[in-house]
Amino acid sequence: MDKLLLLIMAASGLSAVSSAAGRQYYFVYDRKNFTEAQRYCREKDGDLATVDNMEVMKILNNTANLDNMFYSNNSYRAWIGLHADSWRWSLSDTSFYKPGETEFRQWWPGEPDAGYSRKVCTAMYPHYYNGLWHDLSCDHSFYPVCADVRGENIN
Ligand SMILES: *[C@@H]1O[C@H](CO)[C@@H](O)[C@H](O)[C@H]1NC(C)=O
Ligand SMILES: *[C@@H]1O[C@H](CO)[C@@H](O)[C@H](O)[C@H]1NC(C)=O
C-alpha cells in the first residue's frame, strides 16, 4: 500500500485495508445509517461489503478495531451490504459472484427476525456473536464496512 493511501486513510479515520479474492475491505470508523453508509461507500467507488464466503467472514470479524468503535454499550456493530429488499446485497451485479455466493448467509440463530421496523438491514458484530449477522432497523447509525468493488446497476 502506498504512503499516500495510508495518509488518506489516517486522515479520514479509516482502518487498514484487508483483502480477499482480489477485493479490499475496510471499516469506516464514523457512524452512519444504512442509507448514508451505502452512499459513502459508493462515493468511494465501492459499495457496502458483500460477505459471500467464510474467508470474508473471518477477515471482517478479525480486523475490526474495537477501540475505534466504542461509543456505548452494544457499540460494536457494523453495516454490511445485505438488506431486506428480498434480502439481497447492495452490490447486486451478479457478475461479481461465483455460483451460490449471493445466497451465502451467516445469521445468528433466530435471525433475521424482521427487527422492530419495516426496513431491515444487516449488521455484523466483529468479535462478538462469532461475527454472525443480525437484522436491524436501517435508521441506526453503525460503522460501514466498505469494499472496493462497485457494480454497473446501482439501485
Ligand atoms: C470472531 O472473533 C472472535 C473473537 O475474536 C473469535 O472467537 C471467533 O472465532 C471469530 N469468528 C470467526 C468466524 O472468525
Ligand atoms: C439516514 O439519515 C438521513 C439524514 O442524514 C435521512 O435523510 C435518512 O432518512 C436516513 N435513512 C434511514 C434509513 O434512516
Side-chain angles (χ1 to χ4, degrees):
M1 197 182 312
D2 66 33
K3 279 186 184 148
L4 181 60
L5 181 56
L6 277 173
L7 273 176
I8 293 168
M9 290 185 357
S12 56
L14 301 180
S15 70
V17 173
S18 306
S19 52
R23 293 183 213 159
Q24 315 244 293
Y25 295 87
Y26 55 93
F27 283 79
V28 178
Y29 296 114
D30 185 13
R31 289 188 295 134
K32 300 172 190 305
N33 71 30
F34 186 87
T35 317
E36 295 165 332
Q38 186 180 51
R39 185 183 309 128
Y40 179 91
C41 296
R42 288 176 173 177
E43 278 169 7
K44 306 287 179 218
D45 290 326
D47 208 328
L48 276 172
T50 291
V51 183
D52 51 5
N53 59 57
M54 277 315 289
E55 187 190 359
V56 178
M57 279 292 290
K58 286 184 185 146
I59 283 175
L60 299 189
N61 183 51
N62 297 327
T63 60
N65 183 343
L66 299 189
D67 291 342
N68 290 345
M69 296 177 80
F70 186 80
Y71 61 94
S72 75
N73 290 340
N74 264 331
S75 291
Y76 307 117
R77 300 193 277 200
W79 286 130
I80 57 174
L82 192 66
H83 56 105
D85 180 354
S86 328
W87 291 115
R88 63 191 175 85
W89 293 100
S90 182
L91 179 73
S92 54
D93 189 333
T94 52
S95 63
F96 285 96
Y97 299 96
K98 297 193 195 109
E101 282 188 340
T102 54
E103 286 82 50
F104 182 83
R105 299 289 183 267
Q106 290 289 314
W107 295 111
W108 179 251
E111 306 283 318
D113 58 5
Y116 23 81
S117 155
R118 196 173 55 82
K119 291 218 69 169
V120 271
C121 294
T122 306
M124 64 161 302
Y125 295 54
H127 301 265
Y128 293 93
Y129 299 105
N130 218 3
L132 297 173
W133 310 343
H134 293 69
D135 62 323
L136 291 159
S137 171
C138 307
D139 57 12
H140 288 303
S141 288
F142 300 144
Y143 301 94
V145 190
C146 301
D148 70 341
V149 283
R150 183 186 166 123
E152 296 246 320
N153 303 310
I154 291 182
N155 52 44

mmCIF file of all heavy atoms in Angstrom, residues 25-71:
data_model
loop_
_atom_site.group_PDB
_atom_site.id
_atom_site.type_symbol
_atom_site.label_atom_id
_atom_site.label_comp_id
_atom_site.label_asym_id
_atom_site.label_seq_id
_atom_site.Cartn_x
_atom_site.Cartn_y
_atom_site.Cartn_z
ATOM 1 N N TYR A 25 -11.389 -4.674 1.693
ATOM 2 C CA TYR A 25 -12.449 -4.346 2.645
ATOM 3 C C TYR A 25 -11.898 -3.383 3.678
ATOM 4 O O TYR A 25 -10.757 -3.521 4.103
ATOM 5 C CB TYR A 25 -12.911 -5.606 3.374
ATOM 6 C CG TYR A 25 -13.560 -6.613 2.469
ATOM 7 C CD1 TYR A 25 -12.799 -7.556 1.789
ATOM 8 C CD2 TYR A 25 -14.933 -6.607 2.272
ATOM 9 C CE1 TYR A 25 -13.385 -8.463 0.929
ATOM 10 C CE2 TYR A 25 -15.530 -7.520 1.421
ATOM 11 C CZ TYR A 25 -14.752 -8.445 0.756
ATOM 12 O OH TYR A 25 -15.338 -9.341 -0.096
ATOM 13 N N TYR A 26 -12.712 -2.444 4.102
ATOM 14 C CA TYR A 26 -12.274 -1.575 5.189
ATOM 15 C C TYR A 26 -13.455 -1.103 6.025
ATOM 16 O O TYR A 26 -14.549 -0.876 5.512
ATOM 17 C CB TYR A 26 -11.458 -0.381 4.686
ATOM 18 C CG TYR A 26 -12.129 0.480 3.643
ATOM 19 C CD1 TYR A 26 -12.867 1.596 4.006
ATOM 20 C CD2 TYR A 26 -12.012 0.177 2.286
ATOM 21 C CE1 TYR A 26 -13.477 2.394 3.044
ATOM 22 C CE2 TYR A 26 -12.617 0.960 1.325
ATOM 23 C CZ TYR A 26 -13.348 2.072 1.715
ATOM 24 O OH TYR A 26 -13.965 2.842 0.758
ATOM 25 N N PHE A 27 -13.219 -0.981 7.324
ATOM 26 C CA PHE A 27 -14.203 -0.410 8.233
ATOM 27 C C PHE A 27 -14.052 1.104 8.207
ATOM 28 O O PHE A 27 -12.930 1.618 8.147
ATOM 29 C CB PHE A 27 -13.958 -0.897 9.668
ATOM 30 C CG PHE A 27 -14.429 -2.306 9.905
ATOM 31 C CD1 PHE A 27 -13.663 -3.387 9.480
ATOM 32 C CD2 PHE A 27 -15.627 -2.546 10.554
ATOM 33 C CE1 PHE A 27 -14.093 -4.681 9.688
ATOM 34 C CE2 PHE A 27 -16.062 -3.847 10.781
ATOM 35 C CZ PHE A 27 -15.298 -4.918 10.339
ATOM 36 N N VAL A 28 -15.160 1.790 8.251
ATOM 37 C CA VAL A 28 -15.151 3.250 8.331
ATOM 38 C C VAL A 28 -15.585 3.607 9.755
ATOM 39 O O VAL A 28 -16.723 3.302 10.150
ATOM 40 C CB VAL A 28 -16.129 3.852 7.296
ATOM 41 C CG1 VAL A 28 -16.162 5.367 7.414
ATOM 42 C CG2 VAL A 28 -15.745 3.416 5.889
ATOM 43 N N TYR A 29 -14.672 4.214 10.503
ATOM 44 C CA TYR A 29 -14.961 4.468 11.915
ATOM 45 C C TYR A 29 -15.661 5.798 12.104
ATOM 46 O O TYR A 29 -15.178 6.700 12.778
ATOM 47 C CB TYR A 29 -13.679 4.340 12.731
ATOM 48 C CG TYR A 29 -13.136 2.921 12.683
ATOM 49 C CD1 TYR A 29 -11.944 2.629 12.063
ATOM 50 C CD2 TYR A 29 -13.885 1.873 13.227
ATOM 51 C CE1 TYR A 29 -11.477 1.327 11.993
ATOM 52 C CE2 TYR A 29 -13.435 0.573 13.154
ATOM 53 C CZ TYR A 29 -12.232 0.299 12.545
ATOM 54 O OH TYR A 29 -11.783 -1.002 12.469
ATOM 55 N N ASP A 30 -16.800 5.875 11.468
ATOM 56 C CA ASP A 30 -17.622 7.079 11.514
ATOM 57 C C ASP A 30 -19.054 6.569 11.311
ATOM 58 O O ASP A 30 -19.371 6.037 10.248
ATOM 59 C CB ASP A 30 -17.185 8.012 10.370
ATOM 60 C CG ASP A 30 -17.903 9.335 10.403
ATOM 61 O OD1 ASP A 30 -18.547 9.645 11.418
ATOM 62 O OD2 ASP A 30 -17.829 10.059 9.391
ATOM 63 N N ARG A 31 -19.889 6.682 12.336
ATOM 64 C CA ARG A 31 -21.187 6.022 12.280
ATOM 65 C C ARG A 31 -22.134 6.696 11.297
ATOM 66 O O ARG A 31 -22.199 7.910 11.209
ATOM 67 C CB ARG A 31 -21.821 5.982 13.670
ATOM 68 C CG ARG A 31 -21.094 5.006 14.582
ATOM 69 C CD ARG A 31 -21.824 4.810 15.888
ATOM 70 N NE ARG A 31 -21.854 6.034 16.660
ATOM 71 C CZ ARG A 31 -22.939 6.511 17.256
ATOM 72 N NH1 ARG A 31 -24.095 5.878 17.163
ATOM 73 N NH2 ARG A 31 -22.868 7.614 17.950
ATOM 74 N N LYS A 32 -22.873 5.836 10.583
ATOM 75 C CA LYS A 32 -23.831 6.317 9.595
ATOM 76 C C LYS A 32 -25.017 5.366 9.564
ATOM 77 O O LYS A 32 -24.857 4.181 9.866
ATOM 78 C CB LYS A 32 -23.187 6.321 8.200
ATOM 79 C CG LYS A 32 -21.947 7.205 8.101
ATOM 80 C CD LYS A 32 -21.242 7.021 6.763
ATOM 81 C CE LYS A 32 -19.885 7.716 6.771
ATOM 82 N NZ LYS A 32 -19.946 9.131 7.118
ATOM 83 N N ASN A 33 -26.197 5.884 9.192
ATOM 84 C CA ASN A 33 -27.301 4.947 8.993
ATOM 85 C C ASN A 33 -27.053 4.178 7.685
ATOM 86 O O ASN A 33 -26.115 4.476 6.946
ATOM 87 C CB ASN A 33 -28.668 5.644 9.077
ATOM 88 C CG ASN A 33 -28.989 6.563 7.902
ATOM 89 O OD1 ASN A 33 -28.538 6.335 6.780
ATOM 90 N ND2 ASN A 33 -29.787 7.593 8.166
ATOM 91 N N PHE A 34 -27.900 3.193 7.420
ATOM 92 C CA PHE A 34 -27.607 2.304 6.289
ATOM 93 C C PHE A 34 -27.528 3.066 4.975
ATOM 94 O O PHE A 34 -26.618 2.844 4.168
ATOM 95 C CB PHE A 34 -28.675 1.202 6.203
ATOM 96 C CG PHE A 34 -28.370 0.156 5.163
ATOM 97 C CD1 PHE A 34 -27.592 -0.945 5.469
ATOM 98 C CD2 PHE A 34 -28.867 0.282 3.870
ATOM 99 C CE1 PHE A 34 -27.302 -1.908 4.508
ATOM 100 C CE2 PHE A 34 -28.573 -0.676 2.897
ATOM 101 C CZ PHE A 34 -27.792 -1.769 3.217
ATOM 102 N N THR A 35 -28.482 3.965 4.764
ATOM 103 C CA THR A 35 -28.514 4.723 3.501
ATOM 104 C C THR A 35 -27.261 5.580 3.349
ATOM 105 O O THR A 35 -26.660 5.638 2.278
ATOM 106 C CB THR A 35 -29.764 5.631 3.470
ATOM 107 O OG1 THR A 35 -30.876 4.890 3.952
ATOM 108 C CG2 THR A 35 -30.030 6.133 2.083
ATOM 109 N N GLU A 36 -26.893 6.237 4.431
ATOM 110 C CA GLU A 36 -25.685 7.077 4.398
ATOM 111 C C GLU A 36 -24.431 6.217 4.205
ATOM 112 O O GLU A 36 -23.506 6.615 3.502
ATOM 113 C CB GLU A 36 -25.535 7.849 5.719
ATOM 114 C CG GLU A 36 -26.618 8.858 5.981
ATOM 115 C CD GLU A 36 -26.628 9.311 7.460
ATOM 116 O OE1 GLU A 36 -26.221 8.541 8.349
ATOM 117 O OE2 GLU A 36 -27.046 10.437 7.689
ATOM 118 N N ALA A 37 -24.426 5.048 4.852
ATOM 119 C CA ALA A 37 -23.274 4.149 4.736
ATOM 120 C C ALA A 37 -23.123 3.679 3.290
ATOM 121 O O ALA A 37 -22.021 3.670 2.729
ATOM 122 C CB ALA A 37 -23.445 2.951 5.662
ATOM 123 N N GLN A 38 -24.244 3.319 2.691
ATOM 124 C CA GLN A 38 -24.223 2.865 1.296
ATOM 125 C C GLN A 38 -23.737 3.990 0.374
ATOM 126 O O GLN A 38 -22.887 3.778 -0.491
ATOM 127 C CB GLN A 38 -25.633 2.428 0.916
ATOM 128 C CG GLN A 38 -25.753 1.803 -0.448
ATOM 129 C CD GLN A 38 -27.182 1.403 -0.720
ATOM 130 O OE1 GLN A 38 -28.110 2.197 -0.572
ATOM 131 N NE2 GLN A 38 -27.380 0.160 -1.107
ATOM 132 N N ARG A 39 -24.253 5.181 0.621
ATOM 133 C CA ARG A 39 -23.844 6.322 -0.206
ATOM 134 C C ARG A 39 -22.346 6.587 -0.040
ATOM 135 O O ARG A 39 -21.631 6.818 -1.011
ATOM 136 C CB ARG A 39 -24.657 7.566 0.168
ATOM 137 C CG ARG A 39 -24.348 8.756 -0.744
ATOM 138 C CD ARG A 39 -25.099 10.025 -0.327
ATOM 139 N NE ARG A 39 -26.520 9.787 -0.156
ATOM 140 C CZ ARG A 39 -27.217 10.117 0.938
ATOM 141 N NH1 ARG A 39 -26.627 10.722 1.949
ATOM 142 N NH2 ARG A 39 -28.503 9.859 1.013
ATOM 143 N N TYR A 40 -21.881 6.517 1.194
ATOM 144 C CA TYR A 40 -20.469 6.775 1.466
ATOM 145 C C TYR A 40 -19.578 5.797 0.693
ATOM 146 O O TYR A 40 -18.638 6.201 0.020
ATOM 147 C CB TYR A 40 -20.197 6.661 2.968
ATOM 148 C CG TYR A 40 -18.751 6.897 3.314
ATOM 149 C CD1 TYR A 40 -18.296 8.169 3.634
ATOM 150 C CD2 TYR A 40 -17.833 5.852 3.287
ATOM 151 C CE1 TYR A 40 -16.960 8.394 3.918
ATOM 152 C CE2 TYR A 40 -16.491 6.068 3.569
ATOM 153 C CZ TYR A 40 -16.065 7.340 3.888
ATOM 154 O OH TYR A 40 -14.744 7.558 4.153
ATOM 155 N N CYS A 41 -19.879 4.503 0.805
ATOM 156 C CA CYS A 41 -19.034 3.505 0.128
ATOM 157 C C CYS A 41 -19.081 3.708 -1.388
ATOM 158 O O CYS A 41 -18.067 3.573 -2.072
ATOM 159 C CB CYS A 41 -19.505 2.090 0.454
ATOM 160 S SG CYS A 41 -19.355 1.628 2.190
ATOM 161 N N ARG A 42 -20.260 4.048 -1.900
ATOM 162 C CA ARG A 42 -20.384 4.234 -3.355
ATOM 163 C C ARG A 42 -19.656 5.483 -3.821
ATOM 164 O O ARG A 42 -19.096 5.491 -4.921
ATOM 165 C CB ARG A 42 -21.860 4.269 -3.737
ATOM 166 C CG ARG A 42 -22.478 2.877 -3.632
ATOM 167 C CD ARG A 42 -23.957 2.875 -3.905
ATOM 168 N NE ARG A 42 -24.451 1.500 -3.952
ATOM 169 C CZ ARG A 42 -25.728 1.173 -4.129
ATOM 170 N NH1 ARG A 42 -26.640 2.116 -4.268
ATOM 171 N NH2 ARG A 42 -26.070 -0.101 -4.170
ATOM 172 N N GLU A 43 -19.621 6.501 -2.995
ATOM 173 C CA GLU A 43 -18.853 7.704 -3.345
ATOM 174 C C GLU A 43 -17.363 7.406 -3.438
ATOM 175 O O GLU A 43 -16.624 8.116 -4.107
ATOM 176 C CB GLU A 43 -19.096 8.816 -2.323
ATOM 177 C CG GLU A 43 -20.369 9.591 -2.587
ATOM 178 C CD GLU A 43 -20.753 10.524 -1.434
ATOM 179 O OE1 GLU A 43 -19.956 10.668 -0.487
ATOM 180 O OE2 GLU A 43 -21.852 11.083 -1.497
ATOM 181 N N LYS A 44 -16.936 6.361 -2.723
ATOM 182 C CA LYS A 44 -15.524 5.950 -2.790
ATOM 183 C C LYS A 44 -15.324 4.911 -3.892
ATOM 184 O O LYS A 44 -14.366 4.131 -3.856
ATOM 185 C CB LYS A 44 -15.086 5.326 -1.453
ATOM 186 C CG LYS A 44 -15.331 6.197 -0.256
ATOM 187 C CD LYS A 44 -14.358 7.364 -0.209
ATOM 188 C CE LYS A 44 -14.630 8.241 0.992
ATOM 189 N NZ LYS A 44 -14.459 9.667 0.733
ATOM 190 N N ASP A 45 -16.243 4.877 -4.843
ATOM 191 C CA ASP A 45 -16.186 3.939 -5.966
ATOM 192 C C ASP A 45 -16.234 2.489 -5.519
ATOM 193 O O ASP A 45 -15.672 1.610 -6.171
ATOM 194 C CB ASP A 45 -14.938 4.170 -6.834
ATOM 195 C CG ASP A 45 -15.055 5.479 -7.600
ATOM 196 O OD1 ASP A 45 -16.188 5.834 -7.974
ATOM 197 O OD2 ASP A 45 -14.028 6.147 -7.785
ATOM 198 N N GLY A 46 -16.899 2.239 -4.409
ATOM 199 C CA GLY A 46 -17.092 0.871 -3.953
ATOM 200 C C GLY A 46 -18.546 0.664 -3.615
ATOM 201 O O GLY A 46 -19.436 1.284 -4.195
ATOM 202 N N ASP A 47 -18.785 -0.205 -2.658
ATOM 203 C CA ASP A 47 -20.149 -0.440 -2.186
ATOM 204 C C ASP A 47 -20.024 -1.004 -0.774
ATOM 205 O O ASP A 47 -18.925 -1.355 -0.335
ATOM 206 C CB ASP A 47 -20.869 -1.434 -3.098
ATOM 207 C CG ASP A 47 -22.384 -1.227 -3.103
ATOM 208 O OD1 ASP A 47 -22.934 -0.814 -2.060
ATOM 209 O OD2 ASP A 47 -23.014 -1.479 -4.145
ATOM 210 N N LEU A 48 -21.153 -1.076 -0.074
ATOM 211 C CA LEU A 48 -21.132 -1.774 1.212
ATOM 212 C C LEU A 48 -20.668 -3.202 0.976
ATOM 213 O O LEU A 48 -20.951 -3.797 -0.071
ATOM 214 C CB LEU A 48 -22.530 -1.769 1.837
ATOM 215 C CG LEU A 48 -22.894 -0.514 2.630
ATOM 216 C CD1 LEU A 48 -24.363 -0.559 3.013
ATOM 217 C CD2 LEU A 48 -22.025 -0.360 3.876
ATOM 218 N N ALA A 49 -19.973 -3.750 1.942
ATOM 219 C CA ALA A 49 -19.326 -5.045 1.755
ATOM 220 C C ALA A 49 -20.325 -6.169 1.528
ATOM 221 O O ALA A 49 -21.321 -6.285 2.243
ATOM 222 C CB ALA A 49 -18.464 -5.367 2.977
ATOM 223 N N THR A 50 -20.024 -6.977 0.544
ATOM 224 C CA THR A 50 -20.697 -8.251 0.357
ATOM 225 C C THR A 50 -19.887 -9.300 1.098
ATOM 226 O O THR A 50 -18.672 -9.368 0.944
ATOM 227 C CB THR A 50 -20.722 -8.624 -1.138
ATOM 228 O OG1 THR A 50 -21.597 -7.735 -1.822
ATOM 229 C CG2 THR A 50 -21.210 -10.046 -1.336
ATOM 230 N N VAL A 51 -20.562 -10.103 1.906
ATOM 231 C CA VAL A 51 -19.882 -11.180 2.619
ATOM 232 C C VAL A 51 -20.396 -12.472 2.010
ATOM 233 O O VAL A 51 -21.521 -12.882 2.281
ATOM 234 C CB VAL A 51 -20.182 -11.115 4.127
ATOM 235 C CG1 VAL A 51 -19.412 -12.198 4.872
ATOM 236 C CG2 VAL A 51 -19.834 -9.741 4.674
ATOM 237 N N ASP A 52 -19.608 -13.068 1.145
ATOM 238 C CA ASP A 52 -20.136 -14.199 0.389
ATOM 239 C C ASP A 52 -19.347 -15.489 0.583
ATOM 240 O O ASP A 52 -19.565 -16.455 -0.125
ATOM 241 C CB ASP A 52 -20.281 -13.857 -1.103
ATOM 242 C CG ASP A 52 -19.016 -13.259 -1.695
ATOM 243 O OD1 ASP A 52 -17.994 -13.204 -0.984
ATOM 244 O OD2 ASP A 52 -19.056 -12.857 -2.862
ATOM 245 N N ASN A 53 -18.446 -15.493 1.543
ATOM 246 C CA ASN A 53 -17.776 -16.757 1.883
ATOM 247 C C ASN A 53 -17.125 -16.627 3.265
ATOM 248 O O ASN A 53 -17.059 -15.540 3.838
ATOM 249 C CB ASN A 53 -16.756 -17.159 0.809
ATOM 250 C CG ASN A 53 -15.697 -16.099 0.613
ATOM 251 O OD1 ASN A 53 -14.999 -15.721 1.555
ATOM 252 N ND2 ASN A 53 -15.589 -15.594 -0.610
ATOM 253 N N MET A 54 -16.655 -17.754 3.790
ATOM 254 C CA MET A 54 -16.126 -17.770 5.162
ATOM 255 C C MET A 54 -14.836 -16.966 5.284
ATOM 256 O O MET A 54 -14.541 -16.414 6.344
ATOM 257 C CB MET A 54 -15.874 -19.210 5.635
ATOM 258 C CG MET A 54 -17.095 -19.928 6.170
ATOM 259 S SD MET A 54 -18.112 -18.960 7.309
ATOM 260 C CE MET A 54 -17.061 -18.909 8.750
ATOM 261 N N GLU A 55 -14.079 -16.890 4.213
ATOM 262 C CA GLU A 55 -12.824 -16.128 4.276
ATOM 263 C C GLU A 55 -13.132 -14.664 4.610
ATOM 264 O O GLU A 55 -12.488 -14.053 5.473
ATOM 265 C CB GLU A 55 -12.085 -16.236 2.935
ATOM 266 C CG GLU A 55 -10.709 -15.621 2.978
ATOM 267 C CD GLU A 55 -10.069 -15.507 1.589
ATOM 268 O OE1 GLU A 55 -10.687 -15.919 0.591
ATOM 269 O OE2 GLU A 55 -8.962 -14.984 1.525
ATOM 270 N N VAL A 56 -14.132 -14.116 3.937
ATOM 271 C CA VAL A 56 -14.501 -12.721 4.188
ATOM 272 C C VAL A 56 -15.081 -12.573 5.596
ATOM 273 O O VAL A 56 -14.772 -11.619 6.313
ATOM 274 C CB VAL A 56 -15.495 -12.224 3.115
ATOM 275 C CG1 VAL A 56 -15.920 -10.796 3.405
ATOM 276 C CG2 VAL A 56 -14.882 -12.316 1.728
ATOM 277 N N MET A 57 -15.900 -13.540 6.017
ATOM 278 C CA MET A 57 -16.424 -13.537 7.394
ATOM 279 C C MET A 57 -15.284 -13.359 8.398
ATOM 280 O O MET A 57 -15.349 -12.532 9.300
ATOM 281 C CB MET A 57 -17.056 -14.896 7.732
ATOM 282 C CG MET A 57 -18.443 -15.144 7.256
ATOM 283 S SD MET A 57 -19.648 -14.122 8.089
ATOM 284 C CE MET A 57 -19.666 -14.811 9.750
ATOM 285 N N LYS A 58 -14.252 -14.189 8.232
ATOM 286 C CA LYS A 58 -13.147 -14.169 9.193
ATOM 287 C C LYS A 58 -12.379 -12.863 9.125
ATOM 288 O O LYS A 58 -12.003 -12.305 10.161
ATOM 289 C CB LYS A 58 -12.203 -15.344 8.920
ATOM 290 C CG LYS A 58 -12.821 -16.637 9.387
ATOM 291 C CD LYS A 58 -11.884 -17.817 9.220
ATOM 292 C CE LYS A 58 -12.626 -19.090 9.594
ATOM 293 N NZ LYS A 58 -12.223 -20.233 8.798
ATOM 294 N N ILE A 59 -12.153 -12.389 7.924
ATOM 295 C CA ILE A 59 -11.415 -11.129 7.775
ATOM 296 C C ILE A 59 -12.151 -10.006 8.503
ATOM 297 O O ILE A 59 -11.549 -9.258 9.280
ATOM 298 C CB ILE A 59 -11.233 -10.790 6.280
ATOM 299 C CG1 ILE A 59 -10.133 -11.666 5.692
ATOM 300 C CG2 ILE A 59 -10.910 -9.319 6.087
ATOM 301 C CD1 ILE A 59 -9.963 -11.501 4.208
ATOM 302 N N LEU A 60 -13.444 -9.891 8.262
ATOM 303 C CA LEU A 60 -14.176 -8.777 8.879
ATOM 304 C C LEU A 60 -14.250 -8.944 10.394
ATOM 305 O O LEU A 60 -14.087 -7.986 11.145
ATOM 306 C CB LEU A 60 -15.576 -8.655 8.279
ATOM 307 C CG LEU A 60 -15.623 -8.380 6.775
ATOM 308 C CD1 LEU A 60 -17.049 -8.056 6.357
ATOM 309 C CD2 LEU A 60 -14.690 -7.260 6.354
ATOM 310 N N ASN A 61 -14.476 -10.164 10.824
ATOM 311 C CA ASN A 61 -14.556 -10.424 12.266
ATOM 312 C C ASN A 61 -13.242 -10.100 12.972
ATOM 313 O O ASN A 61 -13.244 -9.605 14.088
ATOM 314 C CB ASN A 61 -14.917 -11.895 12.476
ATOM 315 C CG ASN A 61 -15.111 -12.273 13.928
ATOM 316 O OD1 ASN A 61 -15.856 -11.623 14.652
ATOM 317 N ND2 ASN A 61 -14.434 -13.331 14.357
ATOM 318 N N ASN A 62 -12.145 -10.376 12.301
ATOM 319 C CA ASN A 62 -10.861 -10.280 12.990
ATOM 320 C C ASN A 62 -10.117 -8.975 12.760
ATOM 321 O O ASN A 62 -9.168 -8.697 13.485
ATOM 322 C CB ASN A 62 -9.964 -11.458 12.582
ATOM 323 C CG ASN A 62 -10.566 -12.793 13.012
ATOM 324 O OD1 ASN A 62 -11.221 -12.871 14.048
ATOM 325 N ND2 ASN A 62 -10.371 -13.818 12.218
ATOM 326 N N THR A 63 -10.502 -8.173 11.787
ATOM 327 C CA THR A 63 -9.721 -6.965 11.520
ATOM 328 C C THR A 63 -10.365 -5.696 12.054
ATOM 329 O O THR A 63 -9.734 -4.645 12.048
ATOM 330 C CB THR A 63 -9.437 -6.759 10.016
ATOM 331 O OG1 THR A 63 -10.677 -6.651 9.339
ATOM 332 C CG2 THR A 63 -8.616 -7.884 9.443
ATOM 333 N N ALA A 64 -11.602 -5.762 12.511
ATOM 334 C CA ALA A 64 -12.216 -4.555 13.068
ATOM 335 C C ALA A 64 -11.411 -4.099 14.279
ATOM 336 O O ALA A 64 -10.981 -4.923 15.079
ATOM 337 C CB ALA A 64 -13.646 -4.858 13.485
ATOM 338 N N ASN A 65 -11.210 -2.824 14.390
ATOM 339 C CA ASN A 65 -10.511 -2.277 15.558
ATOM 340 C C ASN A 65 -11.565 -1.788 16.558
ATOM 341 O O ASN A 65 -12.125 -0.709 16.402
ATOM 342 C CB ASN A 65 -9.598 -1.135 15.122
ATOM 343 C CG ASN A 65 -8.795 -0.594 16.285
ATOM 344 O OD1 ASN A 65 -9.127 -0.835 17.455
ATOM 345 N ND2 ASN A 65 -7.749 0.127 15.987
ATOM 346 N N LEU A 66 -11.803 -2.613 17.570
ATOM 347 C CA LEU A 66 -12.895 -2.295 18.501
ATOM 348 C C LEU A 66 -12.642 -0.998 19.262
ATOM 349 O O LEU A 66 -13.587 -0.318 19.661
ATOM 350 C CB LEU A 66 -13.113 -3.445 19.481
ATOM 351 C CG LEU A 66 -13.508 -4.795 18.862
ATOM 352 C CD1 LEU A 66 -13.908 -5.768 19.956
ATOM 353 C CD2 LEU A 66 -14.625 -4.672 17.849
ATOM 354 N N ASP A 67 -11.368 -0.658 19.432
ATOM 355 C CA ASP A 67 -11.066 0.608 20.133
ATOM 356 C C ASP A 67 -11.657 1.797 19.395
ATOM 357 O O ASP A 67 -11.979 2.823 20.006
ATOM 358 C CB ASP A 67 -9.551 0.819 20.239
ATOM 359 C CG ASP A 67 -8.910 -0.186 21.180
ATOM 360 O OD1 ASP A 67 -9.653 -0.793 21.990
ATOM 361 O OD2 ASP A 67 -7.695 -0.374 21.094
ATOM 362 N N ASN A 68 -11.776 1.665 18.064
ATOM 363 C CA ASN A 68 -12.318 2.771 17.267
ATOM 364 C C ASN A 68 -13.838 2.734 17.193
ATOM 365 O O ASN A 68 -14.443 3.589 16.555
ATOM 366 C CB ASN A 68 -11.776 2.702 15.835
ATOM 367 C CG ASN A 68 -10.310 3.043 15.769
ATOM 368 O OD1 ASN A 68 -9.754 3.600 16.716
ATOM 369 N ND2 ASN A 68 -9.674 2.704 14.666
ATOM 370 N N MET A 69 -14.452 1.731 17.786
ATOM 371 C CA MET A 69 -15.893 1.549 17.617
ATOM 372 C C MET A 69 -16.686 1.865 18.873
ATOM 373 O O MET A 69 -17.900 1.855 18.851
ATOM 374 C CB MET A 69 -16.198 0.111 17.186
ATOM 375 C CG MET A 69 -15.608 -0.229 15.834
ATOM 376 S SD MET A 69 -15.880 -1.950 15.326
ATOM 377 C CE MET A 69 -17.564 -1.906 14.721
ATOM 378 N N PHE A 70 -16.007 2.134 19.967
ATOM 379 C CA PHE A 70 -16.752 2.260 21.208
ATOM 380 C C PHE A 70 -17.464 3.597 21.334
ATOM 381 O O PHE A 70 -16.880 4.640 21.151
ATOM 382 C CB PHE A 70 -15.834 2.073 22.426
ATOM 383 C CG PHE A 70 -16.614 2.054 23.697
ATOM 384 C CD1 PHE A 70 -17.270 0.892 24.083
ATOM 385 C CD2 PHE A 70 -16.762 3.184 24.462
ATOM 386 C CE1 PHE A 70 -18.046 0.871 25.237
ATOM 387 C CE2 PHE A 70 -17.537 3.174 25.616
ATOM 388 C CZ PHE A 70 -18.180 2.012 25.999
ATOM 389 N N TYR A 71 -18.742 3.571 21.616
ATOM 390 C CA TYR A 71 -19.436 4.809 21.978
ATOM 391 C C TYR A 71 -20.458 4.566 23.082
ATOM 392 O O TYR A 71 -20.841 5.477 23.780
ATOM 393 C CB TYR A 71 -20.093 5.484 20.762
ATOM 394 C CG TYR A 71 -21.150 4.661 20.065
ATOM 395 C CD1 TYR A 71 -22.489 4.793 20.386
ATOM 396 C CD2 TYR A 71 -20.794 3.736 19.087
ATOM 397 C CE1 TYR A 71 -23.452 4.016 19.756
ATOM 398 C CE2 TYR A 71 -21.744 2.960 18.455
ATOM 399 C CZ TYR A 71 -23.073 3.111 18.802
ATOM 400 O OH TYR A 71 -24.022 2.345 18.187
#
